[in-house]
Amino acid sequence: MPSRRGSWPAFWLVSTSGWPPEIDIYEGFGYQSYWDFDRHVAHTLHIGANGTRYDQRGVTIQTQQAYGLSGYSQGFHRFAVDIQRDYITWFVDGVETYQSVNPFRGFRFYPIMDVAVKTDGAYDDGSGDMVVKSFKIYSAP
């Protein structure tokens, strides 16, 4: 993950029928003063239809404190989501970090990985890079 203040990295899933719905596997809010790229992760569902979000639910976790997981800007880590009929479950390095009821039955998704920038100040400290070592999708019929 990047370490540069103002970076907004994300691994997310968008419905093949349009946005929303959206499932954020990982989102980093480097534009927030509290955000620590080495210790924080966010998982979010964006609920709605036809370009209008009417609800969202999720969690921002200080994973070092909660699970002993850290160092996201210093090395590779595994971020995963398991979408089942009734529940969506998030994992970091194989540790379950969040679960929600699945409001998206019947939707198909495609992945997006990006780093946006949201800052009013200089964007020149640390690294703005998000490096992806590998990416896998498993699908049941």
Side-chain angles (χ1 to χ4, degrees), residues 106-118:
F107 282 90
R108 294 183 54 82
F109 293 88
Y110 64 91
I112 299 176
M113 295 174 246
D114 65 337
V115 177
V117 176
K118 184 176 180 179

Side-chain angles (χ1 to χ4, degrees), residues 122-140:
Y123 184 67
D124 58 7
D125 65 315
S127 170
D129 295 337
M130 176 176 64
V131 179
V132 177
K133 183 177 178 180
S134 68
F135 180 78
K136 296 177 185 177
I137 296 175
Y138 299 93
S139 178

Side-chain angles (χ1 to χ4, degrees), residues 51-113:
T52 302
R53 178 181 61 196
Y54 57 78
D55 192 14
Q56 73 179 39
R57 64 180 85 137
V59 63
T60 296
I61 307 166
Q62 205 280 39
T63 59
Q64 185 176 33
Q65 185 178 43
Y67 304 107
L69 302 170
S70 63
Y72 305 117
S73 73
Q74 300 171 27
F76 290 104
H77 295 268
R78 291 176 294 133
F79 298 90
V81 67
D82 182 25
I83 303 169
Q84 297 293 324
R85 176 187 149 111
D86 296 326
Y87 295 97
I88 300 173
T89 308
W90 286 255
F91 299 87
V92 177
D93 291 336
V95 176
E96 182 179 323
T97 53
Y98 183 60
Q99 186 176 69
S100 175
V101 170
N102 183 355
F104 305 135
R105 284 193 197 158
F107 282 90
R108 294 183 54 82
F109 293 88
Y110 64 91
I112 299 176
M113 295 174 246

